[in-house]
Amino acid sequence: MTRTTTAVGRPQRSRLNRLLRELWFQVVLAAVLGIVVGVLAPGFGEELKPLNDWFIALVKMIVVPVVFCVVTTGIASMDNLRKAGRIGVKAIGYFLVLSLVSMLIGLVVANLFQPGSGLDVDPSTLNADDVPETATEHATFTGFVSSLIPSSLLGAITGDAILAALMVSIVFGVALNMAGEDAAPLTRGIRALSDVVFRIVGWVMRLAPLGTFGALATVVATYGAESLKQLAYLIILFTATCVLYVLVVLGAIMRACRLSLFGLMRFLKAELLVALSTCSSEAVLPQLVRKLEILGIGRPVVGIVIPSGFSFNLDGSAVYLTMASLFLAQAVGIDLSWQQQLVMVGVMMLTSKGTAGIAGGAFIVLASTVTAVGHIPLAALSLIVGVDRILNEGRVFINVLGNAVATIVIGTWENDFDADRARSVLHSGAAPEPPSKSADTSKVGADT
């Protein structure tokens, strides 16, 4: 009898041990603990904010090296440089279409459900001091172009500006490709550096539960339920819109690719949970690159689409921008015509690109649009600044998942995607070794 109990108990303990070793389960456990601490000990919860700040800082430390290694080696290994240009053009076209669709969805939902109606806020009573100083740093086209140009070649690689790093990586990769055999030793050195960088990524990601714990404990302690009552409708409506966007828009795209959206979400569950809890797309960029290569997408496609997507393909932010703008207009009693709303969308299409590396980037774009269009007082932003952190969770979740879907689409268009392997991986939910067709890809996935 004792033997039977032991025999039955061992598999149970073994399954529990395996579950405890899974990163996604550790993140979920840390999230629950963070919420409990935030509710029961709010004072202590607010003190845990540095845990999330430290984790995000560690990730940002490694993001630019990942972008440089992946983009440079991807372009350097191409037989035809025109392929890089072709991938870039297709990616930008896809990003623009999806951004426009996302903004129009937010526009329609806000017009139908009128989340700001009934607040009847007097604009003269609003205090612009409640708006963070970063919101006054408006996004401009000249500022965007300036962010592409680094102060020095090596400075872009050692800095923390993704757009500048992407620009230098593309130029460096093209130069290596054109140099041919003369640059082969340097290319091999960058591939070896890629292996080292992704080992560091693996170590940093093991700290994700600590970052999650600190982030949620702070959020729950700072923004309790009492402070959210008036804005609960906006939060619920935006969350429902995000769910609808994922199921309808991204679901339709994945069905067109003959792949399972839920399978992809299960495969990326750890990355999505980390992004959701830390509200940072950058926190999962290195790991997302590795996972998509494991899925069967070629390194050139992943290397170009993912870094550029995190600056240009922010679908969650696009939904937020139009919904938040109309919410503010409705709250202060301003009736925007369809013509004014479409002008606002046009401005947002320009100002929303390239703000991924800016803290509170979507909020800054919102402030820029409000100022540029001039229909809504800037002080109205104080109405939503308290819940922007909560709304950011939906934005980041869609941004990460949307860029993964975009990479699959571009990989399919470029015939640089092993669909059979992807179906096998998504069906099993496992993360096997990456395909052997690329030497550096196998290195990247070695620590999975």
Side-chain angles (χ1 to χ4, degrees), residues 9-22 25-26:
R10 271 182 192 158
Q12 290 176 343
R13 285 196 299 270
S14 178
R15 283 194 296 270
L16 180 61
N17 289 337
R18 284 200 302 270
L19 197 60
L20 289 172
R21 285 196 294 268
E22 291 284 346
F25 184 76
Q26 294 173 10

Side-chain angles (χ1 to χ4, degrees), residues 227-301:
S227 64
L228 304 180
K229 282 183 178 178
Q230 288 187 323
L231 299 168
Y233 184 38
L234 174 63
I235 296 170
I236 293 171
L237 186 61
F238 178 70
T239 302
T241 305
C242 289
V243 172
L244 189 68
Y245 181 88
V246 169
L247 296 178
V248 176
V249 178
L250 297 185
I253 294 172
M254 288 294 285
R255 281 195 298 273
C257 296
R258 298 181 179 180
L259 293 172
S260 167
L261 174 65
F262 292 105
L264 180 64
M265 292 171 66
R266 184 170 63 248
F267 179 63
L268 299 176
K269 57 182 177 289
E271 290 71 32
L272 292 172
L273 286 169
V274 170
L276 193 63
S277 56
T278 62
C279 289
S280 172
S281 300
E282 289 184 353
V284 296
L285 188 150
Q287 192 78 350
L288 187 63
V289 166
R290 179 162 63 175
K291 281 286 192 75
L292 291 175
E293 287 188 343
I294 291 171
L295 196 61
I297 306 172
R299 167 164 281 203
V301 174

Side-chain angles (χ1 to χ4, degrees), residues 309-320:
F310 274 84
S311 291
F312 297 102
N313 189 39
L314 306 176
D315 299 336
S317 299
V319 174
Y320 160 83

